[in-house]
Amino acid sequence: MVRRDGALSMPRDQIEAMQLEGIKKTVVSCYENVPFYKKSFDDAGFDPYALSSLDDLRHAPFVTKQDLRDNYPYGMLAVPLERVKEIHMSSGTTGVATLGAYTEYDLAFWGDCFERGIEFAGGGPKDIVQICYGYGLFTGGFGAHYGSLASGATTIPISAGNTERQIRVLREMGSTILCCTPSYAMHIADTAIAMGLDPARDFHLRAGIHGAEAFSDNFRRELERKLNYKVLDVYGLTETMGPGVAVECMEQSGLHIAEDHFYCEIIDPATGEVLPDGEWGELVVTTLDREASPVVRYRTRDITRIIPGECPCGRTHRRIDRLHGRTDDMLIIRGVNVFPSQIEQVMENFDEVSSWYQIELTTREHLDVVTLKAEVNPDFDFDSTGAIEALQRQIQAELKAALSVGVRVRLVEPMSLPRSEGKAKRVVDLRGENA
Ligand code: DLL
């Protein structure tokens, strides 16, 4: 067991003392073992041996995804390769992949971090955990797997895809905890309904541990209604470990950071200044005891805030808010900054539309055109052209008022937008293709 007794409810002063110890070790290990950090600390005039408070970390330079890519494959390792037992990689759809390496200890605490999600859901040895995050280089499948093993539950490593088989297994094995992306959970639910099942009755789920992509509160409520279970949000990224960096508890009021392994700061993405608790900004993560792939002040590009105050659940680890997208998801439409989550918030006001949408960006006469395609709910009369047009106009007007840019709205039939087994593709940028 890598977790210290009482780690999750430790008094704040003890947590901070433990974090300071971890940071001291990490900055020194990075400086002594990773040439990139030696150069970057020296260039910034940051002395890792002089760090004596958590605030001193603000003087350390940031590390970015590009830095990790530049040092691909093994340049960022802080241990000899023979101590590395497993490797994962980010998808690398936009360029060279980034690599996460794990020693035996790193794998053990990864399992412990994901296990918290199962524990927070009240789960344990009596549970059956169906893991339909993809297994492979993606961290979702294995992270959930190690977590499930650590919890003592029965693990079903089914991986992503083959939705009808997922549904059969959910029914026949009586799975109680579902681990996959929220969009895939919705796809499983909708497919089961289309097969004539009632998943709320025919499945035996009590919790879903869903993450790897942002999802709205409305989406969560719809999932909980369809599958009759409780949805807990789990956050993580390949560069710092994978899923389990932060997990929601049953209060559903923010995700508890695994503060015994990660130190989190929120910065202003434009200036790099650390922001006070409560303010929204970019999450920056420093690992405290990661051996193979430590990071010091990794800029995640994810937008969240530290929720001030204590969680009613009594755990003392600070919480981040549910993610509001990424700094690089920001769409600049005719000069106005727009986040997909803002569009989602407007859609939440319309009961007639479901949570499935896709934003398409095109260009007409050198101007950006944004089209929101959204599925109506199954009980909406899609054959009534007048009703559709009226609703489209109404949504368009609200979007214009909320975002100050025009968005064309095209309502489409239920289940007509593409579904994915992993992360949903919410933004399709065709601007280069029809200019
Ligand atoms: O998505 C790790 C993961 C697997 C997390 C399974 C949760 C569950 P990457 O593929 O490296 O790793 O992608 C990391 O996904 O920087 C966020 O932008 C996004 N992301 C991850 N979790 C959440 C979440 C995994 N709960 C990137 N809410 C991150 C919103 C999330 N976005």
Side-chain angles (χ1 to χ4, degrees):
M1 186 70 171
V2 287
R3 195 186 313 168
R4 298 191 198 183
D5 284 344
L8 306 188
S9 49
M10 229 182 223
R12 286 302 312 166
D13 56 342
Q14 283 180 32
I15 293 179
E16 285 171 14
M18 179 178 68
Q19 291 189 308
L20 180 58
E21 280 318 296
I23 289 174
K24 282 182 180 173
K25 279 193 194 139
T26 300
V27 291
V28 168
S29 163
C30 285
Y31 189 74
E32 293 179 353
N33 297 305
V34 185
F36 164 84
Y37 280 110
K38 172 149 194 348
K39 178 165 185 327
S40 131
F41 289 0
D42 285 346
D43 289 350
F46 171 70
D47 177 0
Y49 303 101
L51 184 137
S52 63
S53 71
L54 291 176
D55 279 349
D56 280 351
L57 187 65
R58 296 177 185 200
H59 305 301
F62 296 116
V63 57
T64 65
K65 197 177 185 87
Q66 192 56 47
D67 296 326
L68 304 190
R69 283 183 175 148
D70 291 345
N71 289 282
Y72 176 87
Y74 294 132
M76 299 299 272
L77 282 191
V79 297
L81 193 52
E82 59 265 30
R83 288 202 51 216
V84 173
K85 299 299 158 211
E86 192 165 311
I87 278 171
H88 287 270
M89 284 186 214
S90 72
S91 50
T93 43
T94 51
V96 182
T98 48
L99 179 133
Y102 305 76
T103 63
E104 213 168 305
Y105 174 77
D106 295 334
L107 289 174
F109 86 68
W110 188 14
D112 178 48
C113 286
F114 194 96
E115 189 272 337
R116 291 171 200 197
I118 297 171
E119 187 181 323
F120 291 177
K126 294 202 175 99
D127 278 279
I128 301 173
V129 179
Q130 182 160 334
I131 300 172
C132 26
Y133 286 117
Y135 279 65
L137 290 176
F138 176 55
T139 52
F142 279 92
H145 190 92
Y146 297 139
S148 178
L149 293 184
S151 77
T154 303
T155 306
I156 305 185
I158 185 166
S159 195
N162 198 341
T163 307
E164 292 193 5
R165 189 176 61 156
Q166 301 281 0
I167 290 168
R168 240 185 13 251
V169 170
L170 275 162
R171 296 181 71 195
E172 292 166 2
M173 304 290 174
S175 310
T176 54
I177 295 181
L178 181 67
C179 298
C180 60
T181 58
S183 53
Y184 193 51
M186 187 70 86
H187 184 50
I188 292 176
D190 287 339
T191 308
I193 293 166
M195 287 162 68
L197 299 171
D198 174 4
R201 198 195 56 221
D202 297 328
F203 296 173
H204 305 86
L205 290 171
R206 52 197 201 81
I209 303 174
H210 300 315
E213 63 186 2
F215 57 114
S216 66
D217 289 336
N218 238 18
F219 197 92
R220 185 210 304 256
R221 278 191 295 274
E222 195 177 327
L223 266 180
E224 290 186 330
R225 184 175 50 76
K226 285 182 178 163
L227 291 171
N228 188 25
Y229 70 159
K230 189 112 176 179
V231 170
L232 303 185
D233 192 344
V234 57
Y235 169 76
L237 61 166
T238 315
E239 293 81 2
T240 65
M241 179 180 78
V245 172
V247 190
E248 229 174 14
C249 65
M250 291 296 254
E251 300 292 334
Q252 294 182 320
S253 61
L255 294 81
H256 289 279
I257 303 161
E259 286 204 292
D260 39 349
H261 300 287
F262 304 97
Y263 180 73
C264 289
E265 301 166 279
I266 302 290
I267 61 159
D268 176 333
T271 63
E273 287 305 309
V274 176
L275 296 172
D277 285 3
E279 285 192 27
W280 290 88
E282 180 180 340
L283 177 69
V284 169
V285 180
T286 299
T287 55
L288 302 179
D289 54 352
R290 181 89 185 261
E291 293 179 331
S293 296
V295 285
V296 176
R297 305 197 88 201
Y298 179 71
R299 288 190 66 156
T300 64
R301 304 274 171 206
D302 290 318
I303 301 163
T304 182
R305 64 181 187 128
I306 301 280
I307 299 177
E310 281 162 26
C311 182
C313 79
R315 295 183 187 93
T316 49
H317 287 206
R318 293 185 303 165
R319 290 162 297 156
I320 49 170
D321 213 323
R322 298 187 69 216
L323 279 95
H324 263 204
R326 299 172 51 81
T327 54
D328 44 10
D329 268 357
M330 190 174 77
L331 309 169
I332 303 181
I333 298 164
R334 304 189 183 188
V336 180
N337 298 346
V338 175
F339 285 99
S341 58
Q342 291 174 285
I343 295 182
E344 230 168 277
Q345 268 167 16
V346 170
M347 280 165 53
E348 291 199 351
N349 301 331
F350 293 89
D351 291 339
E352 302 89 336
V353 292
S354 81
S355 319
W356 277 105
Y357 71 94
Q358 200 162 52
I359 298 165
E360 201 175 83
L361 302 175
T362 49
T363 330
R364 204 175 48 213
E365 289 160 11
H366 307 292
L367 287 178
D368 293 335
V369 177
V370 188
T371 307
L372 170 70
K373 293 183 179 168
E375 289 183 7
V376 295
N377 278 322
D379 47 6
F380 186 81
D381 180 10
F382 198 77
D383 296 328
S384 162
T385 320
I388 296 265
E389 282 173 2
L391 183 56
Q392 284 179 170
R393 277 198 301 276
Q394 238 180 316
I395 301 175
Q396 265 166 207
E398 284 216 15
L399 283 170
K400 176 89 191 174
L403 310 175
S404 317
V405 287
V407 173
R408 287 193 334 197
V409 175
R410 289 286 163 272
L411 294 173
V412 297
E413 287 188 70
M415 301 289 281
S416 61
L417 292 174
R419 300 298 198 262
S420 129
E421 294 157 5
K423 304 189 190 217
K425 193 164 171 56
R426 298 295 195 188
V427 179
V428 182
D429 193 344
L430 303 171
R431 281 179 294 187
E433 296 177 24
N434 58 353

